[in-house]
Amino acid sequence: MEYVREDEKTSLQLALILGSVMAMDFMIVYLSIFEYWTEDLGGSMHAFGLVFACYDLTQLVFLPIFGVIVKRVGFRSIYIASLVFNIIGNILYSTALNGDPDTATTRFVMGRLIAGIGSACYVLILGQLVMVVPTAHRGEGFVTFRMYTFFGRFSGPLIGYLLLYIPESSLGQLKFDGKTLPGWVVVILDIVLLAGFCSKYFKTLPMGTHPFSKTKKKKKKKKKTNNNNNKRTT
């Protein structure tokens, strides 16, 4: 993206990768979540649609909240908070079989809900893109954003499919198989991104202060003095 300022190119790149990972997060469980819910956890098949959609529910609720907060705290804080929520949600999802069996389904659903909060930063990436990309190149910027998200939506089910062939293993009480590994893969990616957003490489100006985000003010025309009045006074 040659049209982005050098000091903000890495920051935008990190944000685009975040969008790709959030798109992957939703789709990576697509092939395994039904069996995980109905067979391993004994959840109701009739409730599965609601369980799967609750991820989008919290995303829908928190998106406008993040949109208001970002004006005060900036993109970095929102991205970091989103990643923390997403990590917690995916850990709860992946460890639902651990602990008390009576609360396993509750931890599973809570994991989906909390991970959905983390994905609410998804659309805010467009706000950063608009702020740092010149108007003449924003069309290219939007296409780049969609390419990253489409890559996440494509790679999610593909990775989830490959994980189904990994033999079951365990580490202490933690169980790793094709149904729990998708959550752990996202957790690892989230931690890597979290380190990037906490580092000095992520730099962006506060909202409304970037030169590309400022609207040009119309210059007021100066009123011409009436020369005739001047002549009368002489």
Side-chain angles (χ1 to χ4, degrees):
M1 292 179 285
E2 297 79 9
Y3 44 82
V4 180
R5 298 185 345 169
E6 285 297 328
D7 57 338
E8 292 183 335
K9 190 173 290 186
T10 303
S11 301
L12 183 58
Q13 195 75 43
L14 279 170
L16 291 171
I17 295 172
L18 173 63
S20 182
V21 170
M22 290 303 158
M24 180 193 298
D25 180 43
F26 180 74
M27 297 301 297
I28 196 170
V29 300
Y30 187 76
L31 298 176
S32 58
I33 187 171
F34 180 76
E35 186 178 346
Y36 189 10
W37 170 253
T38 56
E39 294 186 11
D40 291 16
L41 296 172
S44 170
M45 186 172 61
H46 300 288
F48 172 72
L50 180 61
V51 171
F52 187 76
C54 67
Y55 182 99
D56 281 333
L57 175 64
T58 47
Q59 185 186 67
L60 176 65
V61 171
F62 277 84
L63 179 58
I65 297 174
F66 283 175
V68 173
I69 297 175
V70 73
K71 297 176 184 178
R72 298 185 178 183
V73 301
F75 290 103
R76 183 200 294 268
S77 299
I78 294 295
Y79 292 157
I80 290 174
S82 296
L83 285 166
V84 170
F85 276 119
N86 200 253
I87 289 169
I88 294 171
N90 276 291
I91 289 176
L92 284 173
Y93 173 87
S94 300
T95 59
L97 290 171
N98 301 108
D100 187 359
D102 295 333
T103 60
T105 55
T106 302
R107 292 196 301 274
F108 181 94
V109 174
M110 287 301 298
R112 293 289 293 169
L113 287 169
I114 296 172
I117 297 173
S119 68
C121 69
Y122 178 76
V123 180
L124 295 182
I125 297 167
L126 284 173
Q128 182 184 348
L129 188 146
V130 168
M131 208 172 76
V132 302
V133 174
T135 306
H137 296 282
R138 281 179 188 165
E140 300 170 54
F142 293 148
V143 170
T144 303
F145 172 76
R146 293 306 294 167
M147 286 176 63
Y148 272 81
T149 54
F150 283 142
F151 176 78
R153 290 175 65 88
F154 164 76
S155 60
L158 178 61
I159 295 172
Y161 171 76
L162 295 174
L163 292 175
L164 292 174
Y165 289 93
I166 295 180
E168 182 179 332
S169 60
S170 61
L171 179 63
Q173 292 185 345
L174 295 177
K175 176 185 175 184
F176 301 101
D177 59 13
K179 288 164 280 190
T180 61
L181 280 173
W184 289 116
V185 169
V186 177
V187 166
I188 293 170
L189 293 174
D190 283 348
I191 292 173
V192 173
L193 277 173
L194 189 61
F197 285 114
C198 291
S199 71
K200 63 181 181 180
Y201 297 106
F202 185 82
K203 297 177 182 179
T204 184
L205 294 173
M207 292 192 70
T209 62
H210 197 282
F212 296 143
S213 66
K214 292 180 180 179
T215 55
K216 293 181 180 179
K217 296 181 179 179
K218 293 182 179 180
K219 294 181 179 179
K220 294 182 180 180
K221 294 181 178 179
K222 294 181 179 179
K223 293 182 180 180
K224 294 181 179 179
T225 56
N226 194 333
N227 294 329
N228 294 329
N229 291 336
N230 295 334
K231 289 179 181 179
R232 287 176 186 176
T233 55
T234 56

